[in-house]
Amino acid sequence: MPTLPLSIQNLVDHFTTLPGIGPKTAEKLVFFLLKRPPKDLHDFGSALSSIADNVQLCSICQNFTNQNPCEICSNPRRDKNTICVVADPLDLLALENTHNFRGTYHVLGHNINPLEGITPNDIRIRELIQRIEKTDPKISEVILALDANTEGETTALYLARLLRKYHVKITRIGKGLPMGSDMEYADSVTLSNALEGRREI
Ligand SMILES: [Zn+2]
């Protein structure tokens, strides 16, 4: 069986570490890249290096950012006393695209998912608690904007129970979000409605 040149095989192996990319797709992608001008490949490589070198987690909301605190957390026009909790950065992006939320966020990194071995200790709940304890004046509302599926539900219930002792208003968006749906794929109107229709839990 013919083998690929080492540098090509090396890149194929990197591609196969990405979700949904098997060896055949990885090979196709690499051969597609090989048809591009060398400058494009260097730019692609630099873009990858740049996220390794320049992207960090915001120390307040735990979202990916080029500056710390991130643009949202350092924006004086955002309401720092309302925290919208999301599972991942794409959910935050979807909510930002509604242009209908003026509070701040907290990115957990993942939903609790016992089947995948993701426990409450594996997501950024500790950072959320510290933020709620430290923010002065007190946080007025925590909005749980978690996916309308089993994992999102599990995470929301866990957080609602955990946060009860902080006497903060806890609301959950979900109305209007189809059951089983991922936040990041909901359209802006649906998300805006869900946000406005949030209910205290
Ligand atoms: Zn931030």
Side-chain angles (χ1 to χ4, degrees), residues 16-43:
T16 57
T17 64
L18 299 173
I21 309 278
K24 286 282 157 230
T25 309
E27 285 170 9
K28 263 187 204 148
L29 289 170
V30 172
F31 282 103
F32 172 80
L33 284 173
L34 282 167
K35 290 179 197 150
R36 307 280 293 270
K39 184 186 176 305
D40 285 8
L41 300 185
H42 283 296
D43 288 349

Side-chain angles (χ1 to χ4, degrees), residues 60 76 142 164 170 179 197:
I60 299 174
V142 174
R164 206 152 286 150
I170 305 165
M179 194 58 202

Side-chain angles (χ1 to χ4, degrees), residues 58-63 69-74 105:
C58 171
S59 57
I60 299 174
C61 70
Q62 310 296 314
N63 192 21
C70 73
E71 271 180 49
I72 294 174
C73 290
S74 53
Y105 296 93

Side-chain angles (χ1 to χ4, degrees), residues 87-99:
D88 75 56
L90 290 176
D91 298 336
L92 182 158
L93 209 57
L95 283 162
E96 276 301 281
N97 286 336
T98 68
H99 305 289

Side-chain angles (χ1 to χ4, degrees), residues 1-17 22-24 26-27 30-31 34:
M1 201 173 133
T3 51
L4 291 169
L6 195 59
S7 52
I8 294 182
Q9 185 61 52
N10 188 20
L11 187 56
V12 168
D13 291 345
H14 278 291
F15 271 111
T16 57
T17 64
K24 286 282 157 230
E27 285 170 9
V30 172
F31 282 103
L34 282 167

